[in-house]
Amino acid sequence: MQTHTLEKALKHYFGYDTFRPGQRQIIEQALQNRDLLIVMPTGGGKSLCFQLPALLKPGLTVVVSPLISLMQDQVDALHDNGIGATFLNSSLNSWQVRHREEAILNGKSKLLYVAPERLVSERFLPFLDLVKHQIGLNSFAIDEAHCVSEWGHDFRPEYRQLRILRKRYPDIPIMALTATATERVRQDIIEQLTLHEPNIHIASFNRKNLYYEVRPKQRNSYTELLLEIKQAKGAGIVYCLSRKGVDELAFKLQKDGFKALPYHAGLTDEERAENQTRFIRDDVQVMVATIAFGMGINKPDVRFVVHYDLPRNLESYYQESGRAGRDGEPSRCIIYFSFGDIKKIEWGIDQKPDEQEQMIARQQLRRVIDYAEGTECRRTMQLSYFGEYFAGNCGNCDNCCAPKPVEDWTIEAMKFLSCVARCKEKFGMNHIIDVLRGSRGQKVLQNKHDELSTYGIGKDKTAEEWKMLARSLLNQGLLDQTTDGYAVLKLNALSWEVMRRQRSVSIAIPKKPTTTLAETNLKKAGFELLFDRLRQLRKQIADEHSVPPYVIFHDSTLKLMAQVQPQTLAEFGTISGVGARKLEQYGERFLSEIKAYRQEQGLGVSKIAQKADSPNYTQLITLDLYEQGLSIESIAQQRNLRTSTITSHLAEMIEMGKEIDIAGLVFPERQKIIMAAIEEIGDTEALKPIYEYLGEQFTYDEIRLVKAFWRKKQTE
């Protein structure tokens, strides 16, 4: 298929003018019936890689997906684009399943979403055989393909059974897709699914629109979180390690006036489903959750992801933080880092029965700690984990935007380690700090540690500064700590090198913030005011259709509307993200909102909006039907549109110079009267002044068409 044809199909079905990096090549190979392995980060556009080929090839595409919520979301979005798609899962009763199966056999769906368990079941495979015989199977798309590998972070045994697809349907191409996969996982996917010489596409893991930051967890962290939520232009997710932490934080946010809900495995299935739906549909702003929440959440406009507790490993963190900004818009990813969280995770690791699992988990935790404590570019640290080189200085993380000064704290380290030695390596961090700062606490006095030479030699530093040093010593391997639940500090060989002045110690010192978000209380720009109004309209329409708001339009599309401020359907149709179906369904309502805003602001014809010089797809359909001899009323009925929409199509094309016989639409005598009124009143955007001037004896449609014809004459 030629490139320009693919571009036209992309615009028609999905409203986008250009492909994202890698998409066109993948789609072209899919159309050649090649096996494919696609590793593309969240927000990179994986779904389009199998959805567009499904529409361009005969037969049915079967999509394997592990989650009911993901199936529902993707099918809703496809329906809103006018695309035939359906799903079969446990949420349906037997009658609904039979009804959908009949629709599939009648060719009414191009994509079918199923869970892996159903796909390989004894009842379902014969149905697929019938589909293949009756309408044809064109491909299998295995989403979340990392689940097939025991080396992946989310292994699911039922995915192993999918290898039966190759045996049963050897000629049907398979496309495996995942957001994260190391080299070992990629090879396992190829082997387990028996992919035939697959084309492997590995997109960059660099999510340029995400800002990464690590903050120390302190007393004011909750206040910081409140400010983060207040300044966010949209929804967010806050992750906690425990169910208790989730419930407590969600309760506090609710008490402080935020729309927040909890999500964890302790809730019933109904409660989790209800809370998830409310979050996806923007009824609540914040989801406070354990890592039980997130996989397959098809919500592109998450503006922030906060890990209020430390994540367990970098791969999980990449996945969880990657739920922000899937629409490509700027979003924030923040970790609150505390040593207490490390101890909680270590305790959980100790409960694992397998020593090998414990070792791997500790290694993974060390990488997270290195990331949190690291002073280099966050992207460099993240991407190296996946084997991707990044030179650094990304300009979109805390270490690049506000690099922490590195200071020599060798003397302070010698004091701290010496105090550990003087206390016979029998106490934890807080006790050592108490001794250094000269505390008169009961524990210090009972152990006669007020008599030690190190007692009170650290009064020049705060307790938090000493904790910062102690954490850094532990993370640099210059100090050890027991993991038996007591967290006792122990010296090692490197500790003694420091105390003997054989090794220096440098640590990164966080800068104190000079301003807060609360102090940055700038007045909203006009763009933001209109953007907010368009978001409210989108939410209203979404509620009317019982779908998530992003199914109507993504934030990126609304922002373009707010910037360009189109004033005709032709202009509206040129916005990226506005396809033919969405133009028909929502164009007039969004145009009305934009026009109302501009009127309230005292704005005239938008200088930004550019008049389209050629008809768009939906206008051409109207013109084709009109040239076949159909009346405006017949076209409106056939296209399920209002007559005013069809009239607008014709009027806009008349202004573009299309040869349309206006005499067939408005009698010549009435044309003359309307033109005289236009000459008298002037060429205004509004039709009402002309309508009233003519004594309400002419319809708005007549006036709209004649005005278009009059304007065309002025340019000739």
Side-chain angles (χ1 to χ4, degrees):
M1 180 172 287
Q2 294 180 345
T3 296
H4 71 275
T5 308
L6 282 180
E7 298 280 0
K8 284 183 179 178
L10 177 69
K11 179 63 177 176
H12 173 61
Y13 289 113
F14 298 98
Y16 299 112
D17 298 308
T18 57
F19 289 101
R20 293 188 184 183
Q23 283 182 330
R24 182 189 288 114
Q25 183 185 5
I26 292 168
I27 290 167
E28 287 173 346
Q29 291 173 350
L31 292 173
Q32 294 166 11
N33 295 322
R34 296 291 303 272
D35 279 358
L36 294 160
L37 171 57
I38 298 161
V39 184
M40 187 178 285
T42 302
K46 290 192 300 296
S47 298
L48 188 78
C49 292
F50 61 81
Q51 288 175 348
L52 189 56
L55 301 174
L56 301 176
K57 293 166 69 176
L60 180 74
T61 293
V62 178
V63 184
V64 180
S65 176
L67 295 174
I68 290 175
S69 59
L70 180 61
M71 297 182 198
Q72 180 70 61
D73 289 345
Q74 292 217 359
V75 169
D76 283 345
L78 289 166
H79 283 173
D80 206 62
N81 281 316
I83 296 167
T86 191
F87 62 82
L88 295 173
N89 59 37
S90 58
S91 70
L92 306 175
N93 60 39
S94 58
W95 180 86
Q96 290 172 315
V97 170
R98 285 196 302 274
H99 178 73
R100 294 188 180 205
E101 287 178 346
E102 288 175 7
I104 291 166
L105 292 171
N106 288 328
K108 294 182 178 179
S109 291
K110 293 295 293 180
L111 294 110
L112 166 64
Y113 287 75
V114 293
E117 303 92 332
R118 177 181 292 266
L119 181 62
V120 298
S121 66
E122 291 183 3
R123 183 198 176 280
F124 190 76
L125 286 172
F127 171 70
L128 271 191
D129 292 341
L130 186 58
V131 171
K132 184 174 184 293
H133 173 73
Q134 196 158 319
I135 63 170
L137 289 173
N138 64 45
S139 64
F140 292 104
I142 315 295
D143 205 5
E144 309 292 352
H146 61 272
C147 294
V148 81
S149 174
E150 288 181 313
W151 302 103
H153 68 284
D154 190 33
F155 172 59
R156 301 190 178 206
E158 59 271 17
Y159 260 69
R160 294 279 200 184
Q161 302 171 47
L162 294 175
R163 64 191 316 158
I164 195 176
L165 294 177
R166 179 60 79 205
K167 294 179 181 177
R168 194 175 185 107
Y169 308 106
D171 299 327
I172 306 300
I174 296 174
M175 180 187 294
L177 308 101
T178 180
T180 56
T182 60
E183 172 63 24
R184 190 171 199 172
V185 172
R186 294 197 295 269
Q187 292 304 317
D188 208 16
I189 292 171
I190 293 170
E191 181 182 337
Q192 294 298 326
L193 297 178
T194 324
L195 301 184
H196 287 161
E197 300 180 354
N199 278 26
I200 302 173
H201 295 264
I202 304 173
S204 171
F205 287 92
N206 185 9
R207 299 282 306 283
K208 296 179 181 179
N209 62 309
L210 301 187
Y211 171 83
Y212 295 103
E213 181 179 356
V214 179
R215 300 176 181 175
K217 190 186 288 185
Q218 299 169 335
R219 289 183 180 178
N220 67 338
S221 293
Y222 178 70
T223 303
E224 287 182 1
L225 178 63
L226 295 184
L227 292 171
E228 194 69 37
I229 296 171
K230 283 180 182 177
Q231 66 92 38
K233 298 292 295 179
I237 304 170
V238 181
Y239 284 109
C240 300
L241 277 172
S242 67
R243 299 177 188 180
K244 181 182 177 184
V246 166
D247 288 334
E248 289 177 352
L249 186 57
F251 181 75
K252 286 177 71 175
L253 289 173
Q254 290 167 358
K255 286 294 183 184
D256 285 321
F258 291 92
K259 292 181 178 180
L261 287 174
Y263 190 104
H264 55 69
L267 302 175
T268 65
D269 291 345
E270 291 75 16
E271 288 171 324
R272 287 199 302 272
E274 172 66 18
N275 289 359
Q276 178 173 303
T277 299
R278 292 183 64 191
F279 175 69
I280 288 174
R281 294 189 177 177
D282 285 353
D283 294 328
V284 294
Q285 183 187 9
V286 183
M287 183 68 84
V288 186
T290 61
I291 58 171
F293 175 79
M295 181 179 171
I297 297 304
N298 191 25
K299 184 172 175 59
D301 55 348
V302 174
R303 296 277 72 90
F304 64 91
V305 172
V306 174
H307 280 75
Y308 204 61
D309 298 325
L310 193 67
R312 289 177 173 83
N313 59 69
L314 271 184
E315 190 167 351
S316 295
Y317 176 65
Y318 183 85
Q319 283 270 33
E320 291 151 16
S321 62
R323 284 154 196 156
R326 292 180 56 185
D327 53 6
E329 294 296 306
S331 304
R332 296 168 63 82
C333 306
I334 297 167
I335 292 176
Y336 281 97
F337 176 55
S338 77
F339 198 71
D341 290 343
I342 297 174
K343 300 311 298 176
K344 291 177 187 175
I345 296 172
E346 286 179 336
W347 182 88
I349 292 172
D350 290 339
Q351 309 313 303
K352 293 179 180 291
D354 187 282
E355 288 187 10
Q356 178 73 6
E357 285 185 24
Q358 288 185 7
M359 185 189 72
I360 293 172
R362 288 194 180 94
Q363 289 174 345
Q364 291 175 331
L365 176 58
R366 172 62 57 188
R367 293 293 294 268
V368 172
I369 296 170
D370 290 345
Y371 174 81
E373 288 281 353
T375 58
E376 61 185 318
C377 171
R378 300 282 178 205
R379 276 175 172 74
T380 298
M381 293 186 277
Q382 276 189 24
L383 299 178
S384 67
Y385 181 83
F386 295 106
E388 182 178 345
Y389 174 74
F390 186 76
N393 194 23
C394 69
N396 202 24
C397 75
D398 54 345
N399 285 345
C400 290
C401 295
K404 302 176 183 68
V406 177
E407 296 181 4
D408 187 323
W409 276 44
T410 305
I411 299 300
E412 288 81 0
M414 291 172 65
K415 291 178 180 179
F416 190 93
L417 295 171
S418 179
C419 192
V420 173
R422 296 284 189 278
C423 292
K424 307 281 177 73
E425 300 178 64
K426 293 182 178 179
F427 297 87
M429 183 190 301
N430 289 333
H431 182 78
I432 300 300
I433 293 171
D434 284 344
V435 175
L436 286 168
R437 286 178 45 78
S439 169
R440 303 294 295 173
Q442 182 180 2
K443 191 174 179 182
V444 173
L445 299 177
Q446 277 180 350
N447 288 281
K448 296 185 179 182
H449 286 167
D450 57 325
E451 300 174 9
L452 297 176
S453 60
T454 52
Y455 179 76
I457 64 171
K459 289 182 178 179
D460 59 323
K461 300 291 182 187
T462 66
E464 198 56 46
E465 287 173 323
W466 282 116
K467 285 181 181 177
M468 180 179 63
L469 171 63
R471 293 167 190 152
S472 186
L473 291 172
L474 287 165
N475 294 332
Q476 293 183 56
L478 304 177
L479 180 66
D480 292 335
Q481 183 174 239
T482 58
T483 58
D484 56 2
Y486 295 101
V488 174
L489 297 178
K490 298 287 184 179
L491 301 174
N492 58 32
L494 296 180
S495 308
W496 289 104
E497 287 185 15
V498 173
M499 286 190 281
R500 294 185 188 118
R501 292 182 178 269
Q502 296 171 341
R503 178 181 292 271
S504 63
V505 177
S506 296
I507 66 171
I509 308 297
K511 288 182 178 179
K512 293 183 179 179
T514 55
T515 59
T516 65
L517 291 170
E519 292 167 346
T520 314
N521 186 23
L522 300 175
K523 187 178 180 182
K524 283 184 178 180
F527 159 77
E528 290 179 318
L529 289 171
L530 178 54
F531 176 60
D532 282 347
R533 287 178 61 158
L534 296 177
R535 289 183 79 236
Q536 291 168 14
L537 174 60
R538 178 182 67 177
K539 178 71 170 77
Q540 179 185 340
I541 294 173
D543 289 344
E544 291 170 6
H545 291 263
S546 297
V547 296
Y550 63 79
V551 167
I552 307 301
F553 288 119
H554 283 197
D555 275 3
S556 54
T557 301
L558 293 189
K559 286 181 179 180
L560 281 173
M561 291 180 200
Q563 290 167 350
V564 174
Q565 297 179 18
Q567 292 173 46
T568 67
L569 284 171
E571 292 168 359
F572 191 83
T574 65
I575 300 289
S576 179
V578 180
R581 176 66 174 264
K582 291 184 186 292
L583 180 65
E584 294 176 5
Q585 284 187 300
Y586 313 124
E588 289 197 343
R589 291 183 69 172
F590 280 89
L591 281 177
S592 296
E593 191 67 34
I594 293 167
K595 288 177 180 177
Y597 164 79
R598 291 185 62 80
Q599 203 167 26
E600 291 166 16
Q601 299 296 316
L603 301 173
V605 177
S606 171
K607 293 179 181 179
I608 304 172
Q610 301 296 317
K611 183 186 292 185
D613 56 5
S614 60
N616 58 35
Y617 184 80
T618 190
Q619 292 168 333
L620 289 173
I621 293 175
T622 294
L623 180 60
D624 182 60
L625 293 173
Y626 178 73
E627 289 176 344
Q628 291 178 32
L630 273 68
S631 66
I632 288 178
E633 291 74 15
S634 299
I635 297 171
Q637 185 176 6
Q638 183 169 324
R639 300 199 62 195
N640 196 26
L641 296 173
R642 287 183 289 186
T643 55
S644 59
T645 302
I646 302 302
T647 303
S648 294
H649 290 172
L650 295 172
E652 287 157 3
M653 285 187 287
I654 289 171
E655 281 196 61
M656 292 176 201
K658 285 288 179 184
E659 292 298 329
I660 296 175
D661 182 14
I662 193 174
L665 299 167
V666 183
F667 289 122
E669 296 79 8
R670 295 176 72 83
Q671 287 182 41
K672 291 177 184 177
I673 298 171
I674 295 171
M675 284 187 184
I678 295 172
E679 296 282 0
E680 181 68 27
I681 293 174
D683 184 14
T684 62
E685 280 297 313
L687 301 177
K688 192 171 183 181
I690 301 171
Y691 178 74
E692 292 176 343
Y693 179 84
L694 294 171
E696 302 180 4
Q697 298 300 307
F698 294 76
T699 67
Y700 279 106
D701 286 347
E702 287 178 308
I703 296 169
R704 182 178 288 111
L705 289 163
V706 174
K707 178 184 279 190
F709 184 71
W710 181 85
R711 283 178 170 175
K712 178 190 173 187
K713 287 289 185 185
Q714 306 309 303
T715 60
E716 291 178 349

